[in-house]
Amino acid sequence: MMRRLLPLWLVLPLAACDAPQDDLEIWMKETRASVSPPKTIVEAPKKVEPFAYSHKDALDPFSQAKLTVAMDRAGKAKQNSGLAPDAKRPREVLENFPLESIRMVGRIADAKATSALLQVNSAVYMARVGNYAGQNFGRIIRIGDNEVLIKELVQDASGDWVEREASLKLQEGDKK
């Protein structure tokens, strides 16, 4: 008996949706009549004259030949640059870490030389003037009481090697 009445109970709520909605339709007509659509004036598009390239006999600036010549010049300039890093030398331990992750935590000086204590994560390394640090071919040029000065070699936008200075300041009382 329940199985026979179940479809009837499912269809019965749908019949309620067929109620007259005259009030709603009247309100919709009144609202449409009282509201006017926004008027937007669209200007006609401006006429653009195409650019005529008058130097047809000259070398096209986008040609493969011009690009090849420029690349050859850049390659020769890079080979002649005295600032290029020595790729054949063995890399040092501190070159495996970015300079931002290296911290100066101390300095040791004796009669012969001054060394900086540089910390990466939980390991402390001793470095002297002439040692390399950081991933940009940075070379330690001076160790002071409170900082280590480093000269890095980086490539600029044109691919030329340029020097830039960086420093590591002494980190006192900051435990990580």
Side-chain angles (χ1 to χ4, degrees):
M1 179 82 171
M2 277 301 259
R3 288 188 182 183
R4 291 183 190 163
L5 291 177
L6 183 62
L8 182 63
W9 284 105
L10 293 175
V11 175
L12 189 61
L14 292 176
C17 292
D18 194 30
Q21 298 179 3
D22 293 335
D23 292 342
L24 180 61
E25 289 177 13
I26 292 171
W27 179 80
M28 289 293 293
K29 286 180 184 176
E30 290 174 358
T31 304
R32 283 188 193 120
S34 66
V35 176
S36 62
K39 297 177 182 176
T40 56
I41 299 172
V42 179
E43 294 179 18
K46 295 177 183 177
K47 193 163 195 168
V48 178
E49 295 292 326
F51 178 76
Y53 187 69
S54 61
H55 299 289
K56 293 181 182 178
D57 297 335
L59 184 62
D60 182 13
F62 304 107
S63 70
Q64 187 66 32
K66 187 161 186 152
L67 181 63
T68 305
V69 170
M71 294 299 282
D72 288 344
R73 284 184 189 160
K76 288 177 184 175
K78 287 179 192 174
Q79 290 173 355
N80 296 336
S81 175
L83 292 177
D86 183 10
K88 295 179 181 176
R89 69 168 175 78
R91 293 181 60 87
E92 296 181 16
V93 176
L94 288 172
E95 289 184 273
N96 294 320
F97 306 103
L99 204 56
E100 295 81 26
S101 68
I102 302 173
R103 298 174 46 220
M104 179 183 180
V105 293
R107 180 180 88 100
I108 299 174
D110 61 7
K112 294 181 183 179
T114 301
S115 299
L117 299 176
L118 303 177
Q119 181 181 13
V120 179
N121 299 329
S122 60
V124 177
Y125 301 94
M126 191 164 57
R128 294 188 174 164
V129 172
N131 287 125
Y132 289 87
Q135 295 176 331
N136 291 326
F137 307 102
R139 190 167 197 173
I140 298 173
I141 57 172
R142 187 168 60 92
I143 299 173
D145 292 338
N146 296 324
E147 72 177 343
V148 174
L149 287 177
I150 299 172
K151 192 167 280 194
E152 295 181 307
L153 286 177
V154 293
Q155 285 184 311
D156 64 4
S158 66
D160 294 332
W161 290 97
V162 294
E163 290 182 332
R164 76 173 175 201
E165 287 191 5
S167 65
L168 299 172
K169 303 280 186 192
L170 180 64
Q171 306 288 315
E172 294 185 45
D174 186 12
K175 304 283 183 187
K176 281 191 178 179

